[in-house]
Amino acid sequence: MPLISGNLSHFANPKSDPSTCYSDRQKEVLSVSAAQSAISDITKWPEYEATPLLSLFDLARASNLGKIWYKDESKRFALKSFKALGGAFAVARQLQAIISQRHGQTPTISELLSGEWKSQANEIVVTCATDGNHGRSVAWGAQMFGCGCVIYIHRDVSEGRRQAMESFGADVVRITGNYDDSIKIADAEAKKYGRVIVSDTSYEGYMEIPKDVALGYTVMLSEIVSQMEGEIPTHVFVQGGVGGLASAVCGYFWDLWGHKRPRFIIVEPEQANCLQLSAKAGQPVVVEGELETLMAGLACGEVSELAWRILSNGADDFMTLSEDAIPATMKMLAKGFEGDPAIEAGESAVPGLAAAIIARSLPFFSEALSLDENSRVLVFGTEGATDPELYKQLVG
């Protein structure tokens, strides 16, 4: 009886070469050295503390793997998501840049937090489109640093997620289209009303701010390196979406560990696999249609251009995962597998873990991914119960 059931598809990236050096062009997107300023700033935020890196000993044993490390982002600030790091950091960076341009002085993070630049920050309005967690981070950052905020959500974003963003003082606008439609509307209205877009996806003419979002994520990655105490995983399974998180993970570890870097496996929903299809095509591909998936944070049809710069030859494998694996994995973690700790994991938190467990249970995928009883697997529990009602429905 398998621990978790579900369907997988796999595509090995022909452009991947673990011996290839992390290029200067990729370092322009994200690097270990550039991450230091983000790490320095974010660790000064109120109530900052490193989130746990859990070793799931019993689950690893039952899965016939050497180790499973689970980075539990359900405890990241009050937002219960790794995205708290990215959007809010980019908001702070924009306030610093705009106030400097207008007033000739650059406020420090501490000065913004203390309210010393409150009147100047109040003149600025940030905006974005979101599936939920990124928008919550932007709204939280706007409240923390003292600027206005307008968030666009698509028709499938839950009411609970809308209310969570409003609780941080954001004006939330629901559109009738999908995620990619909401990005276009947010962009058009930002130009019309003079707002600053703080997006986690990049596109032609919009490249710099997503770099700051990705740099925010490196706080989580530097924590992991410290928590592993010198060990390096053999495999990293990470969720897809537009590629922002995956490229930050891949880029940071590749730059840090070089040819010793782990194998990077990207996991996506079957109906929103823009990264896998892009790898197959050898260039970014747009997935059209409804993008219906339980994994709400991964319902993305268009690849971030900056992310693709890293993932096009940095990701080793692209996988899709069927929907039925998600509730089962959430329930298993909520209960705690045998002697492992109980974990609160939202629906977008578990695809990497689920894919790793299912792949190891099937000889074809184990061979394709070089998974065996000695493999040390790192996965990202990217969110907790960010939609409590949905979590309750799925977990009970």
Side-chain angles (χ1 to χ4, degrees):
M1 182 75 176
L3 295 174
I4 302 167
S5 298
N7 296 323
L8 298 175
S9 74
H10 170 251
F11 178 73
N13 185 6
K15 294 186 177 180
S16 149
D17 181 357
S19 66
T20 303
C21 292
Y22 193 58
S23 71
D24 290 341
R25 187 167 182 268
Q26 290 167 322
K27 289 180 181 180
E28 290 173 3
V29 180
L30 183 142
S31 68
V32 172
S33 61
Q36 296 312 306
S37 62
I39 294 167
S40 176
D41 282 349
I42 292 173
T43 52
K44 294 184 179 77
W45 291 1
E47 300 181 11
Y48 165 79
E49 59 179 76
T51 55
L53 182 69
L54 304 173
S55 291
L56 304 183
F57 295 107
D58 287 336
L59 185 57
R61 175 189 48 76
S63 302
N64 198 22
L65 290 165
K67 284 191 175 181
I68 296 176
W69 286 293
Y70 183 99
K71 184 61 168 169
D72 184 7
E73 290 295 295
S74 71
K75 304 184 185 302
R76 183 67 70 184
F77 294 108
L79 278 71
K80 296 189 171 187
S81 166
F82 81 100
K83 289 202 170 183
L85 299 166
F89 177 67
V91 168
R93 279 286 180 92
Q94 283 306 296
L95 295 185
Q96 288 176 310
I98 294 169
I99 290 172
S100 175
Q101 184 180 49
R102 292 178 180 177
H103 302 281
Q105 288 181 268
T106 303
T108 65
I109 290 292
S110 297
E111 288 171 345
L112 286 174
L113 288 169
S114 71
E116 290 182 44
W117 295 86
K118 183 177 180 180
S119 61
Q120 294 87 348
N122 273 336
E123 299 170 353
I124 301 166
V125 178
V126 295
T127 187
C128 72
T130 186
D131 283 313
N133 288 340
H134 175 70
R136 192 179 308 195
S137 178
V138 170
W140 177 63
Q143 183 185 71
M144 181 163 54
F145 297 115
C147 66
C149 182
V150 180
I151 304 292
Y152 292 82
I153 59 175
H154 57 86
R155 60 177 172 246
D156 297 322
V157 174
S158 70
E159 185 65 13
R161 289 195 167 94
R162 180 186 69 80
Q163 292 172 357
M165 286 178 272
E166 289 180 335
S167 73
F168 294 117
D171 292 328
V172 181
V173 180
R174 187 184 294 276
I175 70 153
T176 57
N178 64 19
Y179 172 73
D180 296 306
D181 295 324
S182 67
I183 290 176
K184 292 168 187 171
I185 293 173
D187 182 66
E189 298 211 343
K191 291 172 182 172
K192 181 178 179 180
Y193 296 111
R195 299 167 184 160
V196 181
I197 297 177
V198 179
S199 176
D200 58 350
T201 188
S202 59
Y203 44 88
E204 187 176 351
Y206 183 80
M207 295 289 179
E208 294 308 310
I209 294 173
K211 292 180 184 179
D212 286 334
V213 174
L215 284 175
Y217 301 158
T218 64
V219 172
M220 172 179 64
L221 306 176
S222 69
E223 291 171 0
I224 289 172
V225 173
S226 176
Q227 290 163 330
M228 284 185 169
E229 299 180 331
E231 287 193 85
I232 297 176
T234 59
H235 297 73
V236 173
F237 285 77
V238 61
Q239 290 84 309
V242 299
L245 170 64
S247 63
V249 172
C250 180
Y252 188 87
F253 289 156
W254 189 0
D255 191 24
L256 180 67
W257 288 322
H259 69 276
K260 295 181 181 178
R261 70 178 181 88
R263 186 169 187 149
F264 291 105
I265 301 106
I266 312 300
V267 183
E268 299 175 281
E270 291 176 327
Q271 302 302 316
N273 60 333
C274 58
L275 292 166
Q276 186 188 67
L277 293 178
S278 297
K280 289 180 177 180
Q283 61 184 10
V285 168
V286 177
V287 177
E288 306 286 356
E290 298 302 315
L291 307 177
E292 291 185 7
T293 174
L294 185 59
M295 298 163 257
L298 309 181
C300 308
E302 194 162 350
V303 178
S304 167
E305 290 190 25
L306 288 172
W308 191 244
R309 195 183 296 181
I310 292 173
L311 296 176
S312 59
N313 70 325
D316 299 290
D317 304 271
F318 296 84
M319 304 190 77
T320 64
L321 174 70
S322 59
E323 303 288 307
D324 55 331
I326 300 305
T329 310
M330 293 170 65
K331 289 176 183 177
M332 180 185 70
L333 291 176
K335 183 179 179 181
F337 183 82
E338 296 184 357
D340 290 337
I343 299 171
E344 178 187 286
E347 62 276 13
S348 294
V350 300
L353 176 62
I357 292 171
I358 296 169
R360 181 67 186 114
S361 71
L362 300 169
F364 171 81
F365 290 109
S366 288
E367 183 177 351
L369 299 173
S370 299
L371 283 170
D372 60 29
E373 66 278 5
N374 298 311
S375 296
R376 302 180 302 277
V377 175
L378 170 65
V379 298
F380 292 84
T382 51
E383 64 173 4
T386 54
D387 185 337
E389 284 301 314
L390 181 57
Y391 183 82
K392 185 176 180 181
Q393 290 174 27
L394 295 173
V395 173

